[in-house]
Amino acid sequence: MSEPVSALGGASFHGFATIREIGPLGMITLRAKGVKALDKAVKAVTDTKLPAPRRIEINGEKACGWMSPDEYLLIVPYAEVSATLASLAKSLAGEHHLAVDVSDARAIFRVEGDKAADVLRKLSPVDFEMLQPGELRRTRAAQVAAAMWAQDAGFTVVCFRSVAGYVMGLLTHSAQPGSEL
Amino acid sequence: MSTRLAKGGRLINRTQPVEFSFNGKRLKGFQGDTLAAGLLANDQMLVGRSFKYHRPRGIVAAGPEEPNALVNLGAGGRLEPNQRTTTTELFDGLESTSQNHWPSLEFDVGVVNNYAARFMPAGFYYKTFIHPRPAWKHLFEPIIRRAAGLGKAPTEGDADRYEQAYAFCDVLVVGAGVAGLKAAKAAADAGQRVILLEQTPILGGRAPVDDTEVEGKPVEDWISAMESDLMARDNVTIRTRTCGFGVYDHGYVLADERVADHTPGDGRPKHRLWRIRTGKIVTATGAIERPLSFAGNDIPGVMLAAAVRDYVVNYAVSPGDRTVVVTNNDSAYQTALALKAAGLDVPAILDARETADGALPQAARAAGIRVLTGKAIAKVKGGKRVTGVAVCAQAGEGSVQEEIACEAVAMSGGWSPVVHLWSHCGGKLTWDETLSAFIPDPSRPPLNHDGSAMVEVVGSAAGDLTLTGATVTIPPVWVMPQGAPIQLRSKMWLDYQNDVKVSDVQLASREGYVSVEHTKRYTTLGMATDQGKLSNINGLAVLADSLGQEIPQVGTTTFRPPYTPVTIGALAGESRGDIFQPLRRTPMHAQHEAAGAYFEPVGLWRRPYCFPRAGETHEQAVHREVLNTRQNLGLLDASTLGKIIVKGPDAGKFLDMLYTGVMSTLPIGKCRYGLMCNEQGFLSDDGVVARIDEDTWLCHTTSGGADRIHAWMEDWLQCEWWDWKVYTANVTEQYAQVAVVGPNARKLLQVLGGMDVSKEALPFMQWVDGTLGGFPVRAYRISFSGELSYEIAVPASHGAAFWDACVEAGKALGAMPYGTECLHIMRAEKGFIMIGDETDGTVIPQDLGLDWAISKKKADYLGKRGQERTFLASPDRWKLVGFDTLDGSVVPDGSYIIADGVNGNGQRNVQGRVTSTYYSPTLKRGIAMGLLKHGPTRMGEIVEFNTAAGGTVKARVRDAVFFDKDGEKQNV
Amino acid sequence: MLILECPYCGVKAEETELSPGYEAHLKRFGPGASPEEFEAYMFARKNPKGVHFERWRHTYGCGKWFLAARCTATLEVFGTYPAQVSEPPADIIAKIQARRPGWQPDGKVTK
């Protein structure tokens, strides 16, 4: 079998901030609400607590983000997706839930540098000065849906795979040298 | 002549000369000049021609209100028409040309309109070119359009980049004059996040020109102290060269930052559009001086008094050695004093008031300036520049008492507070009798989301015309002299840019225009690019007078954004070129590009339409793809197909409501075709549903429908059946999907190897998980072509590699990739419907003979009640059938089937229409599907389709399955 | 451009992050409904100048539908609330009446 390939094969751009396409990462959409075993089930796969609304709990390569009142985004290494799904199926057996692999449906970008936020300020109607550490913001980047959070002196931006080229174009346009805000 | 003074100029840097050009002439200016200041410093009084009469026009103002001095700036990919010289910063190498004249600015043939002016009154075009009717479109309009227009639109693509940015604050202050700086500081002191916008490059506004004091300090000192204070604060952001041009609902403000207008080509974005969301807006936008209406008030050299002062003090530019000041208020006396202080001559101040005894008039008299009260200008002398003025009594009819030679006239008709931003979202105005001006009424503000006042107005924008708050009185003087006869009134300009005169507004009133909004459109008063910043109040005062009404009764026209013109580039921002819109690409997109695919848009997706080979037309390629797929093997990138997981104890019940058929009974491992309708009963989407496990289904949707159908599902689950236990997930992009189609399809999968895809192991309309060629796959045995066909889903990260593997393995089997057009032809040959072709939002499944896919047993499904409506249940509906043209030709797309007689409008009656029509390479003739009244009962009948050319195409009605009616080809 | 606070995730979303869903609190009529009932469900809309209840979806956010009470004339927003109710909750009604004394949930105004 071939190696999994991210949408843009790891494209990058160096402007006043650095843009890097990363991944593929393992990503799982987990939908459940009011399920007792949920805390434990998530803890078992990402070793994080269940995030509060609009938060993301990050633990090394793994993370769990709050997407909506009944939806979480689990991030694990790509190779661990099957095992993670199996673990969830076991710990949530008998509970109404949905866990599905969306690793390949996404593109992930890192926007790095002192002025990384300036790149995103040009694309999203988000008050980045008020964005809390560990806050996961779902919004739009220009004309497409995106999720973003601050992480390791920069931001992680997630979008749909089919528009990866468009989002790379947006980030490149916004990070042009000399266009700092 | 206008010239540069030897000393002074608070904004210019004499050590930094710059060279620029106007109409090819090389001119010199200084850093800090505006283009207008640079032109005046070089005695370029004549800068353009007016719109209608091609009158010579000069610079009138010193700010964004300038109506006349518009130029083409730059060249080629950087050409910008209609740029205001008064707000354009001068830079080395600036190129400008004047507009609206031919062949030259000095000698303009169009000026003939000026001499014909009395034959071209308001409404001239409406009155003259109305008959004969066809002549407007073919004769008058093309000629008028050629003669009209100010600047020329650029013909090249814009060489610059633009961008947008979002900003958030508690208080947004628009305008960084003294009032704006004070407001910003007050908000900052209160701990608020503040953004301060200033349209010019510097803070402080106009106060320093008038040499005054603020809070006991000389104004320049006060401003620089304030600037340092604000700059040092973390909670204050100052943006210069940024015009807040529009106020919108809930504290949303748009502002245009001219980032690199003055440094073209330095790589920075030319403009940046700011989208600002603020808790509260403070407008400190100042006031604009009004012209006076006297004959010849448009001759180059007649300028606003404050503008004359600005040019002298800010740029050390003299408008002429001798300037006559004409006014109805005290502020113009400052201009006289400033001119005097610069060593220039002021032969007289003509004051329309009977007395003028304030401090400034007294100071003017003390400076030895001749002050004539109760006087007016009867007429300005001169053509392309002012040579003098004829003086008369304001109270009279214009009898000339004296002539005074001069090179410039500085006029002041009072001040109009800039109330635009207050008014954009509905802030109301009140007429101030003392100022003769509309000012914001704080008791009727525009409202914020919480019902609080969204905008506060401070400083002169609120009607406070002095920094000290002292009362200023401006008596109404709308026409000069008061009893001016028509000869004078027809030379008094209200709107310089659109050539609207006092006499035009009076004519409009006589012709019955009583509404200010109608008068505006009839005369075009205030409709030019300056949007009447100078002309509005004077115009409506003249209208009110003509109507015998008070000004507040007449009211103002509506103020709408933008305050000043905004270039389209800024509004488009990043949305140009490759990122004009988000193109969606499948994981195999690069492979298709390499194979020479010709793409077509399907929603935002780009899908290969066909894969033309060297020397092939698209049509030939499509036909080859159809024949090869039917005879050998075709590969289709079906990744765009929507895929939605529906899971939960109530998922079956939910899908039974969503689809017209029954999905709850679908056995695990099997597939079923389903239809979805909206609540009106009209067909909305279709696709194959697969039962994955006990409580999980996977719903395929059309390529364009995935997001819409997912949203539709969530709508019902969240808003209607919120107690049903169902979760959905849109997994469309998780999978790359390859349709392997044709007699050799199974052989290809066997070559790839890894799972049993035999007829027994994987029968039609079933699916199975496994591996193929080492890839983890889910294989669906479904067919949209009538051929033996599998759709193979692999994780998108392996999509490109799996496609390559199929192409490679298929070489020996005659595999060729095929595109969407081949797909369409093959499905039409089989009589399969296509959402968007056979449906258009008015078609129910029953119209398409899809009754078999509608459950008769179910008590309810979405659309069931809608379909029971009498007109949908009528036997007279147009229903789906197939057509064979008698001559084998292809029915033109969009054709209607004609019927006898004509309708009430004299149009031919129709009884049906074509929905899909193709040349079938398989059958070697045209095939068509369409909707025909009573269609299924009319088999064998001959009908006629109309054509655009006027003729008809005869066709025989038949069933819609043209090829392999018994399904033998896929039953292997 | 409106701002509405999503009651699920607390984001003060601007209009471009939302999708409109028109009038709220419609009662669905399915098979068996009279033509008048079906017409009321499908087509008859209040379209008031003043207090209005609307459906909005936080499309570019948590994806949830919510309901908003706002004034179509002044664009004031009285409140937003989750969609899983068949009529406006009491606290929303109270907020409206605090700003529009005399306003009644049936749309009538008592003096």
Side-chain angles (χ1 to χ4, degrees):
Chain A
M1 187 171 110
S2 64
E3 284 297 305
V5 179
S6 67
L8 304 177
S12 65
F13 173 76
H14 298 276
F16 72 76
T18 296
I19 316 296
R20 288 190 294 126
E21 193 224 3
I22 59 170
L25 299 182
M27 287 192 175
I28 290 164
T29 288
L30 173 61
R31 295 196 63 177
K33 193 181 180 185
V35 174
K36 268 191 175 173
L38 197 57
D39 288 59
K40 273 189 183 168
V42 166
K43 176 89 179 165
V45 291
T46 59
D47 201 16
T48 66
K49 62 177 184 180
L50 204 61
R54 267 165 67 196
R55 313 289 299 179
I56 181 165
E57 298 292 339
I58 301 173
N59 180 12
E61 289 183 295
K62 297 182 176 182
C64 180
W66 187 95
M67 299 293 271
S68 89
D70 57 11
E71 182 179 338
Y72 300 88
L73 174 68
L74 307 184
I75 301 178
V76 297
Y78 189 86
E80 292 177 25
V81 168
S82 301
T84 306
L85 284 171
S87 165
L88 289 170
K90 200 173 160 195
S91 42
L92 295 173
E95 300 282 6
H96 173 42
H97 77 284
L98 167 66
V100 59
D101 181 6
V102 292
S103 314
D104 302 85
R106 307 275 192 265
I108 307 106
F109 297 89
R110 287 284 302 158
V111 183
E112 292 162 335
D114 292 349
K115 302 214 162 180
D118 279 2
V119 176
L120 301 179
R121 278 192 182 100
K122 298 179 189 181
L123 302 173
S124 301
V126 172
D127 188 351
F128 283 95
E129 283 170 53
M130 294 293 161
L131 193 77
Q132 302 298 312
E135 181 175 349
L136 184 161
R137 182 65 150 90
R138 299 182 72 181
T139 180
R140 62 181 175 82
Q143 301 174 54
V144 297
M148 47 191 73
W149 60 88
Q151 188 178 356
D152 306 332
F155 290 86
T156 301
V157 178
V158 180
C159 68
F160 283 107
R161 182 186 184 106
S162 66
V163 293
Y166 171 75
V167 171
M168 185 70 197
L170 292 177
L171 295 170
T172 302
H173 183 275
S174 300
Q176 288 297 313
S179 70
E180 296 91 336
L181 296 179
Chain B
M1 61 183 281
S2 62
T3 185
R4 182 83 69 185
L5 297 164
K7 293 185 304 192
R10 57 181 283 272
L11 299 183
I12 57 170
N13 181 353
R14 290 185 192 254
T15 66
Q16 293 286 318
V18 297
E19 214 174 81
F20 66 104
S21 76
F22 178 72
N23 286 345
K25 254 190 296 184
R26 297 171 74 84
L27 304 171
K28 286 190 162 54
F30 293 118
Q31 195 186 64
D33 268 329
T34 61
L35 176 54
L39 290 169
L40 285 173
N42 287 277
D43 192 32
Q44 189 64 52
M45 302 277 284
L46 173 64
V47 293
R49 294 273 175 171
S50 68
F51 185 69
K52 188 167 162 188
Y53 302 129
H54 293 247
R55 303 252 308 174
R57 287 292 162 75
I59 294 160
V60 175
E65 66 273 26
E66 174 62 38
N68 285 345
L70 309 185
V71 295
N72 296 313
L73 212 58
R78 293 209 158 85
L79 171 66
E80 278 190 291
N82 294 333
Q83 294 303 295
R84 288 174 304 284
T85 57
T86 50
T87 56
T88 299
E89 290 175 58
L90 207 53
F91 56 86
D92 209 37
L94 178 149
E95 288 176 58
S96 61
T97 55
S98 52
Q99 309 184 145
N100 203 33
H101 52 70
W102 184 84
S104 76
L105 177 61
E106 292 293 327
F107 178 75
D108 177 18
V109 166
V111 77
V112 68
N113 286 0
N114 187 27
Y115 303 111
R118 61 196 215 90
F119 305 112
M120 293 176 71
F124 172 71
Y125 294 134
Y126 299 137
K127 291 166 183 163
T128 310
F129 297 115
I130 196 159
H131 297 292
R133 297 295 300 203
W136 172 252
K137 189 167 174 51
H138 301 291
L139 181 65
F140 301 138
E141 192 187 10
I143 291 173
I144 291 166
R145 288 221 179 276
R146 215 170 301 151
L150 290 166
K152 290 269 183 288
T155 53
E156 291 181 28
D158 195 324
D160 283 300
R161 294 193 312 116
Y162 300 83
E163 64 182 28
Q164 304 189 348
Y166 295 84
F168 296 80
C169 59
D170 301 316
V171 177
L172 176 76
V173 182
V174 183
V178 171
L181 291 168
K182 280 183 180 171
K185 179 168 188 299
D189 284 344
Q192 311 244 261
R193 266 204 297 174
V194 179
I195 295 177
L196 174 61
L197 304 181
E198 168 54 42
Q199 63 185 355
T200 72
I202 49 151
L203 306 186
R206 285 202 68 254
V209 174
D210 293 340
D211 191 22
T212 151
E213 286 194 347
V214 181
E215 293 169 351
K217 277 190 199 171
V219 64
E220 297 248 33
D221 297 350
W222 183 88
I223 290 165
S224 57
M226 187 65 98
E227 184 170 353
S228 326
D229 177 352
L230 293 176
M231 299 277 270
R233 298 182 189 228
D234 286 340
N235 60 336
V236 178
T237 306
I238 301 175
R239 295 251 164 219
T240 55
R241 296 188 174 95
T242 306
C243 176
F245 65 77
V247 169
Y248 306 84
D249 313 322
H250 293 187
Y252 190 59
V253 175
L254 293 183
D256 184 26
E257 180 180 6
R258 302 163 78 94
V259 180
D261 268 1
H262 59 301
T263 57
D266 73 348
R268 295 187 301 163
K270 182 175 169 65
H271 286 212
R272 179 180 292 133
L273 186 86
W274 285 95
R275 299 154 74 114
I276 303 166
R277 187 69 73 162
T278 179
K280 188 178 154 188
I281 299 156
V282 178
T283 70
T285 44
I288 290 176
E289 198 167 23
R290 288 198 291 259
L292 282 165
S293 299
F294 49 83
N297 63 350
D298 69 327
I299 294 172
V302 180
M303 301 170 72
L304 294 170
V308 169
R309 201 149 80 236
D310 288 345
Y311 287 113
V312 170
V313 176
N314 285 338
Y315 308 105
V317 166
S318 151
D321 289 349
R322 294 170 298 180
T323 303
V324 168
V325 175
V326 57
T327 185
N328 67 341
N329 68 87
D330 282 2
S331 73
Y333 285 78
Q334 289 176 311
T335 299
L337 292 166
L339 288 163
K340 206 75 179 161
L344 298 164
D345 189 16
V346 179
I349 298 175
L350 307 178
D351 195 325
R353 298 173 295 183
E354 286 303 323
T355 54
D357 295 327
L360 284 165
Q362 284 177 26
R365 289 190 184 96
I369 301 173
R370 188 176 166 220
V371 176
L372 303 173
T373 55
K375 298 299 183 206
I377 289 180
K379 191 180 180 187
V380 177
K381 319 273 285 181
K384 287 178 193 163
R385 57 173 67 212
V386 171
T387 57
V389 295
V391 180
C392 66
Q394 167 63 16
E397 294 182 0
S399 304
V400 176
Q401 298 170 339
E402 155 179 21
E403 290 194 359
I404 302 173
C406 60
E407 289 77 45
V409 176
M411 63 181 164
S412 177
W415 293 81
S416 298
V418 175
V419 297
H420 301 61
L421 298 184
W422 165 266
S423 302
H424 282 170
C425 265
K428 299 290 184 257
L429 302 174
T430 185
W431 179 255
D432 186 305
E433 295 285 350
T434 317
L435 293 177
S436 298
F438 280 107
I439 61 171
D441 180 353
S443 69
R444 293 179 296 162
L447 297 185
N448 219 329
H449 61 91
D450 58 358
S452 64
M454 185 166 81
V455 182
E456 181 191 345
V457 187
V458 296
S460 50
D464 174 8
L465 289 182
T466 65
L467 290 173
T468 56
T471 307
V472 173
T473 305
I474 298 175
V477 173
W478 306 119
V479 175
M480 181 175 262
Q482 172 195 298
I486 183 68
Q487 293 86 341
L488 297 183
R489 282 183 279 124
S490 62
K491 292 292 177 195
M492 291 178 188
W493 264 259
L494 291 168
D495 185 322
Y496 293 93
Q497 201 172 117
N498 266 357
D499 268 331
V500 183
K501 301 163 295 178
V502 168
S503 53
D504 294 319
V505 172
Q506 290 169 332
L507 176 68
S509 139
R510 284 204 303 282
E511 291 183 347
Y513 287 86
V514 295
S515 151
V516 63
E517 295 283 5
H518 291 164
T519 302
K520 164 182 162 175
R521 284 154 182 82
Y522 188 58
T523 62
T524 72
L525 177 82
M527 290 174 70
T529 66
D530 61 338
Q531 290 285 287
K533 290 187 181 67
L534 298 187
S535 63
N536 269 348
I537 301 297
N538 286 351
L540 72 95
V542 170
L543 179 65
D545 179 63
S546 306
L547 296 171
Q549 292 181 356
E550 297 299 316
I551 290 172
Q553 280 175 265
V554 175
T556 59
T557 53
T558 308
F559 294 94
R560 292 191 178 87
Y563 173 63
T564 48
V566 180
T567 188
I568 297 284
L571 299 176
E574 80 290 336
S575 300
R576 291 173 68 193
D578 288 345
I579 50 173
F580 171 67
Q581 62 173 182
L583 296 191
R584 300 178 70 183
R585 296 177 175 89
T586 74
M588 293 85 103
H589 190 89
Q591 270 75 2
H592 304 328
E593 279 185 333
Y598 169 72
F599 289 91
E600 72 162 347
V602 179
L604 290 172
W605 290 104
R606 286 294 175 274
R607 299 190 69 183
Y609 174 92
C610 63
F611 293 84
R613 293 179 169 178
E616 260 183 353
T617 64
H618 293 163
E619 190 182 21
Q620 288 166 337
V622 168
H623 295 168
R624 170 180 51 75
E625 289 167 14
V626 171
L627 293 173
N628 185 69
T629 305
R630 293 243 182 260
Q631 288 158 13
N632 300 303
L633 181 58
L635 299 171
L636 175 78
D637 178 357
S639 306
T640 59
L641 212 63
K643 307 161 200 82
I644 301 168
I645 299 272
V646 179
K647 184 186 176 191
D650 296 318
K653 178 166 83 166
F654 174 62
L655 292 178
D656 284 351
M657 282 301 293
L658 217 61
Y659 287 92
T660 60
V662 181
M663 294 300 168
S664 54
T665 58
L666 181 64
I668 294 168
K670 296 211 164 169
C671 302
R672 187 172 287 167
Y673 176 70
L675 306 170
M676 277 190 236
C677 297
N678 61 23
E679 274 285 67
Q680 293 212 51
F682 297 125
L683 197 48
S684 155
D685 208 76
D686 70 345
V688 169
V689 178
R691 179 84 176 260
I692 305 302
D693 61 31
E694 185 52 38
D695 63 357
T696 310
W697 282 255
L698 185 137
C699 303
H700 286 109
T701 74
T702 56
S703 289
D707 291 336
R708 176 173 56 86
I709 296 301
H710 184 231
W712 174 245
M713 290 177 171
E714 284 293 327
D715 190 350
W716 288 100
L717 288 172
Q718 292 177 34
C719 302
E720 188 72 20
W721 303 311
W722 58 76
D723 52 340
W724 293 14
K725 289 187 166 170
V726 182
Y727 285 126
T728 70
N730 185 351
V731 294
T732 300
E733 298 203 18
Q734 171 64 17
Y735 300 99
Q737 200 143 314
V738 180
V740 180
V741 182
N744 292 339
R746 186 174 291 135
K747 284 183 203 151
L748 178 84
L749 303 190
Q750 286 164 345
V751 170
L752 289 171
M755 60 194 285
D756 186 355
V757 292
S758 64
K759 182 178 182 180
E760 296 70 32
L762 184 52
F764 186 54
M765 293 303 264
Q766 296 206 18
W767 64 270
V768 65
D769 283 340
T771 63
L772 281 172
F775 293 89
V777 301
R778 176 168 289 164
Y780 302 87
R781 180 144 174 229
I782 52 183
S783 177
F784 198 40
S785 58
E787 296 299 322
L788 171 65
S789 165
Y790 300 84
E791 293 206 10
I792 313 295
V794 298
S797 298
H798 299 284
F802 181 71
W803 177 265
D804 287 343
C806 289
V807 170
E808 185 59 33
K811 276 181 182 164
L813 300 168
M816 289 180 195
Y818 69 90
T820 49
E821 186 66 1
C822 170
L823 170 150
H824 279 271
I825 292 176
M826 291 195 298
R827 67 92 193 164
E829 287 173 340
K830 284 293 295 177
F832 296 143
I833 65 132
M834 176 67 83
I835 298 293
D837 286 343
E838 275 63 43
T839 71
D840 64 355
T842 69
V843 171
I844 57 174
Q846 292 88 338
D847 295 337
L848 302 180
L850 294 171
D851 305 71
W852 59 269
I854 302 170
S855 166
K856 307 289 181 295
K857 295 183 200 146
K858 290 198 298 186
D860 194 4
Y861 59 84
L862 297 181
K864 185 173 170 71
R865 176 62 185 86
Q867 289 162 0
E868 289 169 356
R869 287 179 290 170
T870 49
F871 80 101
L872 291 180
S874 161
D876 290 338
R877 297 281 297 173
W878 292 2
K879 297 208 170 195
L880 189 78
V881 288
F883 299 95
D884 284 331
T885 52
L886 298 191
D887 60 2
S889 67
V890 179
V891 175
D893 226 337
S895 293
Y896 273 79
I897 302 165
I898 56 178
D900 290 337
V902 294
N903 66 16
N905 292 325
Q907 297 159 324
R908 188 72 188 250
N909 282 328
V910 293
Q911 55 178 329
R913 62 184 170 86
V914 72
T915 55
S916 292
T917 172
Y918 298 99
Y919 175 77
S920 163
T922 314
L923 305 170
K924 301 198 167 26
R925 58 180 167 82
I927 60 170
M929 294 158 73
L931 297 166
L932 174 65
K933 188 174 177 181
H934 305 142
T937 66
R938 297 171 65 179
M939 293 299 155
E941 204 177 303
I942 309 291
V943 296
E944 284 183 79
F945 288 90
N946 65 357
T947 70
T952 60
V953 178
K954 286 197 169 111
R956 181 175 286 110
V957 181
R958 54 160 295 162
D959 73 278
V961 185
F962 297 87
F963 176 69
D964 187 23
K965 192 168 172 59
D966 297 329
E968 297 299 331
K969 290 206 76 181
Q970 74 190 13
N971 189 23
V972 291
Chain C
M1 185 170 52
L2 305 184
I3 285 189
L4 296 171
E5 181 169 333
C6 173
Y8 299 100
C9 64
V11 165
K12 289 186 175 61
E14 67 164 50
E15 215 173 316
T16 66
E17 296 179 279
L18 305 170
S19 304
Y22 319 109
E23 190 172 314
H25 303 304
L26 297 176
K27 178 172 164 43
R28 177 174 186 261
F29 283 96
S34 70
E36 291 73 24
E37 286 168 332
F38 189 69
E39 180 195 29
Y41 163 49
M42 219 59 259
F43 305 112
R45 295 294 175 265
K46 296 190 181 80
N47 194 27
K49 180 178 182 181
V51 177
H52 193 217
F53 299 92
E54 294 173 333
R55 287 154 30 89
W56 289 86
R57 186 180 186 218
H58 194 188
T59 306
Y60 285 98
C62 67
K64 295 299 181 196
W65 282 96
F66 64 88
L67 307 181
R70 67 179 188 100
C71 176
T72 58
T74 65
L75 307 187
E76 289 167 84
V77 178
F78 305 109
T80 55
Y81 50 102
Q84 292 78 37
V85 288
S86 50
E87 57 187 38
D91 65 313
I92 293 288
I93 301 235
K95 282 180 189 168
I96 297 168
Q97 287 172 335
R99 301 247 284 276
R100 296 285 185 278
W103 177 87
Q104 296 298 317
D106 61 6
K108 296 196 178 74
V109 176
T110 57
K111 294 288 174 194

